[in-house]
Amino acid sequence: MVALLGAFLVVADRSANPLMLHDTDTAVLLQTIRARHDPLSWFVGDWPLQNHFYRPISTLAFELDNRLYGSAASGYGLTNALLCALSVLLLFWFVRELTDLPVLSAGSAALFALWTAGSTSLAISCVSLLGLACLAGGLWRHQLRIGWYLPGYFVFAFAASELHGIRPLEARMLDWLPGRTASVMCVFALIAMAAYARYERTSAKRLVAAPGPLDPPATRNTVRAREPSKFSFLWAVGALLACAAALGSYEQAVMLPACVLGVAIVQRLRGYKVRWGWQLGFWSLLAAYLVLRSRLIPVMPSHYQLQQFRHGPGVYLSLTEFLLPAFGSYPAFIQTFDEGFLLLLNPQLWSIVHASVANAVAYYQLRRHWVLALAGWALSVVSFLPMAWLKEFEHYFYWPMAMRSLFVCVLIWVGLDLLIIAWSRPGLQAPARPSAAPGSLPHP
């Protein structure tokens, strides 16, 4: 239900602005499609903008809209919104298959919907208040024992900063029609990852340790593992087909095989005996895609591509936003060191110190649910990695922020654990026993 509400929020925020069709890229794209009038031709050559990209699947979305809506901008805006809404629902499916935790799945989908619609202010305020509640409860219950409540405050402070989102998505994903190249790719990437995660979760053997003397015996309420269906391999086949469609939608999908490998590693850490042979299929698809692309698309970069490549501080700043968010402000701040002691009066200093401590404490506290936290963090980094060397457009962050939503939700989960600790009564030390209790076994 939460995921459906999130999808509805995205659709309700759709754009019907007629100016969408007058954007330069959109106008040229639609003009080329109408002039050629051959949808299948995009599978054997460059896409309509002729800047050396192979995107036949996402181009078909424009072909369909051209047939259905002609020059009605509202129809194109609705398609953009529906693709984003579908991504929200598919993210719920993916996290559900990866974690088997419905609450975490709903939270990730809801957060991604809020990022897409640009409506996170209320969530940020609530999480900030939870951080203050940690301080209030800790000061009441634990006084000067700050180790019982200060970590919770810093975790919520870091979560509040993450809730802002790495980049605003609404303008590029809902209001700019070419942004759907990223959402079409994201739809197929999420299908591939979810289908593969389901294949492993429902049919792989569990690595269960032999029962020990302290384990409770089986009862009539004990849940027995179900026998996998003989057709379970179809989930893996479906994942391969979705991977092929993602590669034909947008170039960022070259990271999909690495992300599927990440899903396999997470499932292995969660105790499933992963069938690693399927990974060969995803990497073979990537190799076939690269060969096909080299045959159909000119190998030399286009003028547009040469304009987009970058190196230097911008790459560092983009990567730190995913790896260690607090580190991104360090280079600019170092230039102010010539202020001497006046630096201590600079509020930017204390803001950076606060953010750095919150970042470090949060990463340390995530050890409580480290497998799921690592999954969201690593998948967001891997899915974004090649885009760091390009001049930024917000739709580059769409798929990575879908993955990041899992990381942020685990972060809030850890914060709630620490909030409970902050408001709990302090533990009481049992009194020392000077002699053994009557009837106890003798100790050497």
Side-chain angles (χ1 to χ4, degrees):
M1 182 60 71
V2 173
L4 287 173
L5 289 175
F8 176 78
L9 174 66
V10 171
V11 174
D13 197 41
R14 66 187 181 275
S15 175
N17 189 342
L19 294 178
M20 288 191 297
L21 298 182
H22 299 288
D23 170 78
T24 303
D25 287 352
T26 304
V28 172
L29 194 151
L30 293 178
Q31 180 182 0
T32 306
I33 284 175
R34 290 163 182 169
R36 180 173 298 191
H37 202 66
D38 185 5
L40 296 181
S41 65
W42 307 117
F43 285 89
V44 292
D46 209 337
W47 86 311
L49 294 184
Q50 299 295 311
N51 46 10
H52 298 188
F53 290 125
Y54 185 66
R55 301 172 179 176
I57 303 297
S58 53
T59 305
L60 290 182
F62 287 100
E63 289 273 7
L64 179 62
D65 273 7
N66 181 53
R67 296 287 181 89
L68 293 176
Y69 306 117
S71 298
S74 59
Y76 291 83
L78 177 61
T79 300
N80 266 28
L82 289 175
L83 286 168
C84 292
L86 183 58
S87 296
V88 170
L89 298 176
L90 289 171
L91 177 63
F92 173 85
W93 180 34
F94 166 62
V95 179
R96 180 69 173 83
E97 299 296 349
L98 183 69
T99 68
D100 203 15
L101 296 172
V103 174
L104 193 60
S105 308
S108 300
L111 176 56
F112 188 48
L114 292 176
W115 278 338
T116 303
S119 306
T120 57
S121 56
L122 179 59
I124 294 169
S125 299
C126 291
V127 168
S128 299
L129 288 175
L130 289 175
L132 296 177
C134 265
L135 288 180
L139 289 171
W140 175 43
R141 290 289 194 186
H142 306 284
Q143 285 80 45
L144 297 178
R145 290 177 289 181
I146 60 175
W148 288 89
Y149 57 88
L150 210 53
Y153 164 76
F154 281 121
V155 168
F156 280 122
F158 182 61
S161 67
E162 286 283 307
L163 280 173
H164 282 91
I166 297 175
R167 288 291 182 279
L169 297 175
E170 182 181 13
R172 281 286 173 176
M173 301 311 303
L174 296 178
D175 303 336
W176 188 59
L177 295 183
R180 72 171 61 172
T181 52
S183 56
V184 170
M185 181 272 295
C186 187
V187 164
F188 288 112
L190 289 171
I191 291 174
M193 296 168 72
Y196 176 73
R198 180 170 181 81
Y199 167 69
E200 297 292 1
R201 186 176 69 84
T202 59
S203 64
K205 295 180 180 179
R206 297 299 300 267
L207 302 173
V208 181
L214 300 180
D215 292 321
T219 66
R220 63 183 181 87
N221 293 323
T222 301
V223 178
R224 298 180 59 185
R226 293 183 300 176
E227 288 294 325
S229 168
K230 61 181 179 180
F231 299 108
S232 59
F233 73 94
L234 293 177
W235 288 111
V237 173
L240 289 169
L241 294 176
C243 179
L247 289 168
S249 301
Y250 194 57
E251 287 70 24
Q252 194 174 2
V254 296
M255 302 309 296
L256 183 53
C259 287
V260 174
L261 177 60
V263 171
I265 293 172
V266 171
Q267 296 294 60
R268 178 62 179 81
L269 292 173
R270 295 185 64 238
Y272 292 95
K273 193 174 181 181
V274 172
R275 280 67 57 90
W276 298 103
W278 285 98
Q279 299 300 317
L280 181 61
F282 294 98
W283 291 97
S284 297
L285 274 177
L286 176 58
Y289 162 78
L290 294 175
V291 171
L292 177 65
R293 192 180 189 283
S294 67
R295 298 293 180 86
L296 300 177
I297 306 296
V299 177
M300 295 300 295
S302 65
H303 179 65
Y304 172 81
Q305 290 170 332
L306 291 174
Q307 284 182 324
Q308 289 302 109
F309 292 136
R310 67 170 180 173
H311 60 277
V315 177
Y316 166 82
L317 293 175
S318 293
L319 289 176
T320 53
E321 287 180 298
F322 285 92
L323 295 168
L324 294 166
F327 281 41
S329 55
Y330 282 13
F333 183 69
I334 289 174
Q335 299 177 5
T336 66
F337 278 7
D338 56 357
E339 296 179 9
F341 287 106
L342 292 177
L343 184 64
L344 298 176
L345 302 178
N346 188 341
Q348 186 184 7
L349 168 66
W350 304 110
S351 175
I352 291 177
V353 169
H354 180 273
S356 300
V357 173
N359 201 157
V361 171
Y363 275 24
Y364 176 72
Q365 293 296 332
L366 283 171
R367 73 189 190 282
R368 298 169 181 269
H369 306 292
W370 71 272
V371 173
L372 300 181
L374 178 64
W377 180 85
L379 289 174
S380 68
V381 172
V382 171
S383 58
F384 176 74
L385 194 58
M387 317 310 286
W389 280 265
L390 301 174
K391 294 178 182 178
E392 287 188 359
F393 286 109
E394 286 79 3
H395 59 289
Y396 296 168
F397 295 81
Y398 189 67
W399 179 30
M401 285 178 65
M403 302 295 98
R404 194 74 170 187
S405 65
L406 172 59
F407 172 76
V408 178
C409 286
V410 175
L411 193 63
I412 295 173
W413 181 10
V414 170
L416 292 174
D417 289 344
L418 295 171
L419 178 63
I420 293 172
I421 293 173
W423 279 85
S424 299
R425 291 178 179 273
L428 298 177
Q429 178 65 44
R433 186 183 296 276
S435 60
S440 63
L441 296 175
H443 295 276

